[in-house]
Amino acid sequence: MPKLLGIAGSLRAKSFNRMLLAYAAKTAPEGTTVEIFDLKPIPFFDQDVEAQGYPDAVAKLHAAVGAADGVLIVTPEYNSGIPGVLKNALDWMSRPPGKSNCAGKPVTVMSTSPGASGGIRAQVSILPVLTGMGMLPLVGAAAAVPNAGASFDVDGNLTDDRAKTVVAGQLKAFAAWIERLKR
């Protein structure tokens, strides 16, 4: 069963998207593991820094991507797109050009937001970035949890039954997508 790398596109400790990622990790299909990677230590992308060698946090990110069978990204929607911290991490992940371990790597995206769209515009805006990196996005299964403030309890647990079903379906579909690509 697949080993997934989970990335939340928000740094805030009480982020609904971090809560959604934690829920996905806890409820992944049997045999599927999710290692959550924290983006806080990742510096701003800078080719001058890259020329000196990858900073430790970036080297750890590259190693985690390389060791994973697939990447699960859970992103908030900022101004109808993805947050800068996530785009920055993706820029580091895409290096070096043409030799990134992201090329051919399965990826799926989930989101949640306080609004009615659940962050779907962020999911749409990230797809060209992921395909530009050579990643293989799962399409057709998109967990977008609207009304995040009412979908999680005070302890950060997902309480919306419809959202639980959608997340479970996406995780199951992603595990099957990874297995299909391995063949």
Side-chain angles (χ1 to χ4, degrees):
M1 293 302 283
K3 177 182 174 186
L4 306 181
L5 177 65
I7 297 173
S10 176
L11 301 180
R12 187 170 61 89
K14 297 287 185 176
S15 159
F16 292 122
N17 285 277
R18 290 171 75 96
M19 292 176 196
L20 183 58
L21 177 57
Y23 175 80
K26 185 171 52 176
T27 62
E30 187 175 334
T32 300
T33 60
V34 181
E35 174 193 348
I36 297 176
F37 192 92
D38 187 3
L39 297 182
K40 274 188 182 185
I42 302 293
F44 289 120
F45 177 73
D46 180 337
Q47 283 185 301
D48 293 333
V49 172
E50 180 187 35
Q52 302 297 317
Y54 291 134
D56 287 343
V58 173
K60 288 177 183 174
L61 177 60
H62 275 259
V65 170
D69 296 312
V71 178
L72 166 61
I73 297 172
V74 183
T75 182
E77 180 180 301
Y78 291 177
N79 300 312
S80 300
I82 62 173
V85 68
L86 178 56
K87 178 62 169 77
N88 181 63
L90 294 172
D91 289 343
W92 274 115
M93 287 168 55
S94 71
R95 307 301 288 186
K99 297 179 184 171
S100 163
N101 57 11
C102 288
K105 185 75 64 174
V107 63
T108 194
V109 182
M110 294 180 181
S111 60
T112 185
S113 77
S117 74
I120 199 72
R121 291 176 294 206
Q123 290 190 34
V124 170
S125 71
I126 199 173
L127 287 176
V129 176
L130 299 174
T131 57
M133 294 168 61
M135 297 186 87
L136 304 173
L138 171 68
V139 292
V145 180
N147 307 313
S151 297
F152 294 87
D153 66 18
V154 295
D155 296 320
N157 300 305
L158 184 62
T159 58
D160 182 302
D161 289 335
R162 183 195 107 2
K164 289 178 180 182
T165 301
V166 171
V167 169
Q170 183 169 350
L171 290 170
K172 184 177 177 183
F174 190 47
W177 171 243
I178 291 169
E179 292 304 315
R180 194 173 8 194
L181 290 173
K182 282 183 179 180
R183 288 186 238 143

